Amino acid sequence: MILDFITWNVDPVLIHFGDGGVRWYGLLWAIGLYVCWAINERMYKREHCPAEWADQLFFWMAAGVIIGARIGHCWFYEWHEYGEPWHLFGWEFTYRNPYIEHPLWLIKIWEGGLSSHGGAIGLIIAAILLNKFKFSRYPQFGTSWLWILDRLCIGVCITGALIRLGNLFNSEIYGGPTDLPWGFIFVRDGQTVPCHPTQLYEMLYCLVAFAVTLPLYLNTNARRREGLLLGVFLEIVFVTRFCLEFIKNDQEAFEADHLLNMGQWLSLPFILLGIFLIVRAFIRPLSPVVEKQPQSLDPKYKEQKQ
């Protein structure tokens, strides 16, 4: 039997207690971060990297993606029209951002508001800092921030897929009306007609990116072409994201009059970066293979583990 549509009325809170509870979205975020760390831990073992690197990666990765996603959302999407235009240094502005006036509101992460583009920027910054202050102390591994992201992006595919599933549980960031049999009526968001479940579409392209990048890492010399895996990841994720934005509802009112919405404008730099990295990866020589090293090169780490 083929359904005409799917009525979606799932409670976004998994466990209720008091005025709050454990939400599916938060749980899936946490699982996604753990799975990403676990995948990279296996990769680091496979390449004989110091054992402490996986733990260091988790801290920097979690901090980078959460802080970046929060700041990204508040800066990119929280522009609202407030009655009369306001003036600054002779310029007239129609929209204002409350987070500029109240920067401490940034820490109210429990109120929601995370941007995938901001999270991507946060991960890039975290990788640059992680390599500079931690991994580069071992030059025999020849690491760089691209080396880190080439491996990290594979696990990020699964994290992204789980986050989009969390968006589905929240009945948010879906598409416009559709007559396709898999259209969802998002009852909790006040919808009465079937809409594109773009959360599932985005979840699918994350899984496709995983299915492409993991075999490239395991079965080819792609991991020795610095930036190649990251470039492939960026093209699959952000080209598809750019196209899907045409059927998604605008997140904020200020996007309505734009040729492209905010998600598309933010995707363009990542698409261009992906093309550049792929071309660069094939122009440059292969990275050398690192011979097997001791499990840990950091005496302090050994002492902590004993």
Side-chain angles (χ1 to χ4, degrees):
M1 175 179 175
I2 300 178
L3 297 176
D4 292 329
F5 55 82
I6 299 169
T7 300
W8 186 256
N9 193 25
V10 174
D11 189 344
V13 180
L14 173 61
I15 303 174
H16 292 266
F17 52 84
D19 295 331
V22 177
R23 300 178 69 91
W24 283 104
Y25 182 72
L27 177 62
L28 290 167
W29 250 96
I31 294 174
L33 291 175
Y34 173 78
V35 171
C36 184
W37 167 81
I39 290 172
N40 276 264
E41 184 186 37
R42 295 292 297 271
M43 290 179 178
Y44 287 1
K45 287 182 178 179
R46 187 175 189 269
E47 298 188 50
H48 314 298
C49 297
E52 63 269 21
W53 278 15
D55 294 341
Q56 294 167 352
L57 175 75
F58 181 81
F59 171 79
W60 289 84
M61 172 190 70
V65 70
I66 293 173
I67 294 173
R70 179 59 176 166
I71 294 177
H73 171 83
C74 295
W75 178 252
F76 297 137
Y77 291 101
E78 290 294 338
W79 295 91
H80 307 287
E81 193 169 7
Y82 287 93
E84 294 295 326
W86 60 288
H87 299 81
L88 180 66
F89 303 120
W91 292 83
E92 182 177 281
F93 297 90
T94 304
Y95 294 90
R96 299 175 69 177
N97 190 320
Y99 290 91
I100 295 177
E101 301 174 66
H102 307 281
L104 291 180
W105 289 3
L106 285 168
I107 65 175
K108 295 183 178 181
I109 197 170
W110 56 88
E111 294 183 357
L114 298 172
S115 161
S116 58
H117 294 93
I121 295 171
L123 282 178
I124 291 174
I125 295 174
I128 293 172
L129 296 176
L130 175 60
N131 186 68
K132 178 177 178 62
F133 294 110
K134 296 294 182 180
F135 290 7
S136 62
R137 293 189 300 171
Y138 309 125
Q140 62 269 43
F141 288 94
T143 60
S144 66
W145 63 274
L146 284 174
W147 184 97
I148 296 172
L149 290 175
D150 276 336
R151 288 143 185 81
L152 183 60
C153 69
I154 298 174
V156 167
C157 296
I158 302 300
T159 307
L162 291 172
I163 291 172
R164 289 312 183 204
L165 183 58
N167 292 136
L168 180 66
F169 277 101
N170 280 347
S171 296
E172 61 187 1
I173 62 170
Y174 47 84
T178 180
D179 56 2
L180 293 172
W182 55 80
F184 277 52
I185 298 180
F186 294 97
V187 176
R188 289 182 175 269
D189 203 40
Q191 295 297 323
T192 57
V193 297
C195 296
H196 283 286
T198 49
Q199 310 97 324
L200 294 181
Y201 302 166
E202 294 187 87
M203 181 178 176
L204 180 61
Y205 71 59
C206 288
L207 295 177
V208 169
F210 179 77
V212 172
T213 54
L214 183 61
L216 283 176
Y217 172 83
L218 292 175
N219 303 322
T220 74
N221 63 7
R223 65 181 180 277
R224 295 177 58 199
R225 294 191 179 277
E226 187 179 76
L228 178 59
L229 290 169
L230 176 61
V232 171
F233 166 83
L234 292 175
E235 292 309 297
I236 295 174
V237 169
F238 288 104
V239 169
T240 313
R241 170 72 183 270
F242 182 92
C243 296
L244 282 179
E245 291 292 334
F246 286 112
I247 63 172
K248 285 175 66 175
N249 294 320
D250 292 332
Q251 293 192 43
E252 299 295 339
F254 71 84
E255 299 177 88
D257 299 328
H258 293 182
L259 176 63
L260 302 176
N261 66 22
M262 182 61 75
Q264 290 172 313
W265 284 115
L266 293 174
S267 294
L268 286 176
F270 289 103
I271 294 172
L272 295 176
L273 176 61
I275 295 172
F276 168 77
L277 290 174
I278 292 172
V279 173
R280 176 183 180 272
F282 283 103
I283 293 175
R284 294 168 64 90
L286 292 174
S287 301
V289 177
V290 177
E291 298 298 330
K292 186 172 182 179
Q293 300 285 341
Q295 183 182 19
S296 175
L297 301 179
D298 189 341
K300 292 182 179 179
Y301 184 84
K302 287 183 177 181
E303 294 173 0
Q304 293 170 359
K305 289 295 182 180
Q306 290 176 351

